C-alpha cells in the first residue's frame, strides 16, 4: 500500500472481527514502527502485546473497574485541556455527536452513551491490544516521540490490511493494567492500541470525522 493510501484510509475502528492476527505479523509491524524518529534516538516507547486469555482477563478487569469504581481511577498525565475553548471544543463535539448519530444514539440517551464508552474496555472486540508505556522519568519530548511511534505502528498495520484504534481511555485505569500485566514501576501507561480486521458491516466503522483543510492551519513564508 502506498503511504498516502495508508494515511488516508487509517481511521479509528470501533468494531473488529474475531479473526486472529498472527504473531509474525505483529512482530513485523513492530519492526517497521521501530524506525519511528525520536529525539537523539532514545526510542522511549515500551509495548505490551496482549491477546487470547490474557486479553480477555484484562478486558474483564477494566470493565469491572469502569462499572463499579470509575471515580477511583485517574490518568497519570493530562490529555485534554482543563477548560475547553474554540475551535477545539467545537471539533470535539462534532466528532462525538457524529459518532453517536451514526450509531443512532441520541444526546439524552445517557445509558447508551455510557455503554458505547464502555466498549473501550472490550477493545472494541479486537483480537489484539497493545499497551504503550513510557518511562515516567522522561519528559514532554518523549510524549511526541511515542506519538510518532504510534502513528508509524498504525500505518504499518494499514500496510498489512489491518485497522486499529488508539485509546487514551485506558490511561485512567493504569492500576488495573498493572495488576494484569508485568509493568515496571517506572512505566507510565500512555494508551492502548486495539488492532485487527475491521467489521465491514458495523455502522460505527463508516464514521469518518471531517478534517480541516490545510489553508485553515498552514502559513507559507517565501516562494
Amino acid at each position: 500500500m502506498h503511504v498516502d493510501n495508508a494515511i488516508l484510509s487509517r481511521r479509528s475502528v470501533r468494531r473488529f472481527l474475531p479473526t486472529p492476527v498472527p504473531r509474525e505479523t505483529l512482530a513485523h509491524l513492530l519492526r517497521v514502527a521501530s524506525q519511528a524518529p525520536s529525539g537523539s534516538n532514545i526510542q522511549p516507547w515500551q509495548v505490551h502485546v496482549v491477546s487470547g486469555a490474557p486479553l480477555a482477563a484484562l478486558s474483564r478487569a477494566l470493565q469491572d473497574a469502569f462499572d463499579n469504581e470509575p471515580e477511583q481511577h485517574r490518568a497519570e498525565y493530562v490529555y485534554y485541556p482543563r477548560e475547553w475553548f474554540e475551535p477545539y471544543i467545537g471539533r470535539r463535539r462534532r466528532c462525538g455527536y457524529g459518532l453517536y448519530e451514526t450509531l443512532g444514539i441520541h444526546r439524552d440517551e445517557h445509558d447508551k452513551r455510557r455503554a458505547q464508552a464502555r466498549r473501550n474496555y472490550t477493545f472494541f472486540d479486537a483480537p489484539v491490544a497493545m499497551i504503550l508505556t513510557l518511562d515516567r522519568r522522561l519528559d514532554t519530548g518523549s510524549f511526541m516521540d511515542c506519538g510518532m511511534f504510534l502513528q508509524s505502528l498504525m500505518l504499518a498495520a494499514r500496510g498489512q490490511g489491518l485497522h486499529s484504534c488508539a485509546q487514551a481511555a485506558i490511561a485512567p485505569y493504569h492500576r488495573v493494567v498493572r495488576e494484569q500485566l508485568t509493568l515496571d514501576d517506572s512505566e507510565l501507561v500512555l494508551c492502548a492500541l486495539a488492532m485487527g480486521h475491521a467489521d465491514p458491516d458495523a455502522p460505527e466503522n463508516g464514521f469518518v470525522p471531517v478534517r480541516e483543510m490545510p489553508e485553515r492551519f498552514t502559513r507559507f513564508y517565501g516562494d
Side-chain angles (χ1 to χ4, degrees):
M1 184 181 293
H2 189 280
V3 64
D4 287 4
N5 293 332
I7 293 170
L8 293 170
S9 65
R10 189 215 62 79
R11 61 187 186 274
S12 294
V13 162
R14 293 182 173 88
R15 189 174 297 274
F16 292 87
L17 298 173
T19 309
V21 180
R23 177 170 291 195
E24 54 267 29
T25 300
L26 298 172
H28 170 78
L29 300 181
L30 291 164
R31 282 195 300 272
V32 172
S34 72
Q35 298 303 305
S38 60
S40 299
N41 197 36
I42 66 170
Q43 305 168 69
W45 44 80
Q46 293 289 322
V47 185
H48 303 261
V49 183
V50 194
S51 61
L55 179 60
L58 175 60
S59 178
R60 286 193 300 269
L62 289 166
Q63 290 175 77
D64 182 66
F66 178 80
D67 290 341
N68 299 309
E69 52 182 29
E71 68 285 347
Q72 297 180 26
H73 298 271
R74 294 289 183 274
E76 294 186 279
Y77 67 94
V78 178
Y79 191 106
Y80 291 118
R82 291 178 174 85
E83 293 187 14
W84 284 96
F85 52 95
E86 293 294 355
Y88 311 109
I89 189 171
R91 294 172 184 168
R92 184 177 191 244
R93 285 171 174 166
R94 285 192 294 274
C95 181
Y97 294 158
L99 174 61
Y100 289 132
E101 287 172 6
T102 300
L103 290 165
I105 300 173
H106 300 293
R107 296 184 190 181
D108 59 348
E109 293 183 302
H110 301 295
D111 288 345
K112 290 183 179 180
R113 290 165 69 95
R114 181 174 174 79
Q116 178 60 29
R118 188 180 190 269
R119 284 187 46 72
N120 274 284
Y121 309 109
T122 70
F123 301 97
F124 302 112
D125 307 323
V128 177
M130 298 186 182
I131 309 298
L132 274 68
T133 68
L134 169 71
D135 193 312
R136 67 180 68 254
R137 294 168 294 181
L138 295 171
D139 214 324
T140 309
S142 292
F143 281 78
M144 292 192 288
D145 296 340
C146 288
M148 291 187 281
F149 172 79
L150 184 64
Q151 174 78 339
S152 298
L153 189 52
M154 292 188 285
L155 296 182
R158 288 300 302 125
Q160 298 296 317
L162 300 170
H163 274 288
S164 60
C165 185
Q167 300 174 265
I170 202 79
Y173 297 94
H174 57 91
R175 287 193 286 110
V176 177
V177 175
R178 291 180 190 286
E179 291 168 0
Q180 296 293 320
L181 307 180
T182 305
L183 271 64
D184 292 337
D185 291 341
S186 63
E187 290 184 77
L188 177 75
V189 176
L190 287 177
C191 67
L193 184 68
M195 185 178 292
H197 295 273
D199 183 343
D201 298 323
E204 58 265 51
N205 289 343
F207 172 67
V208 180
V210 175
R211 304 293 182 167
E212 296 290 339
M213 296 300 292
E215 54 265 28
R216 295 289 300 275
F217 58 79
T218 306
R219 296 179 184 179
F220 288 96
Y221 300 84
D223 297 332

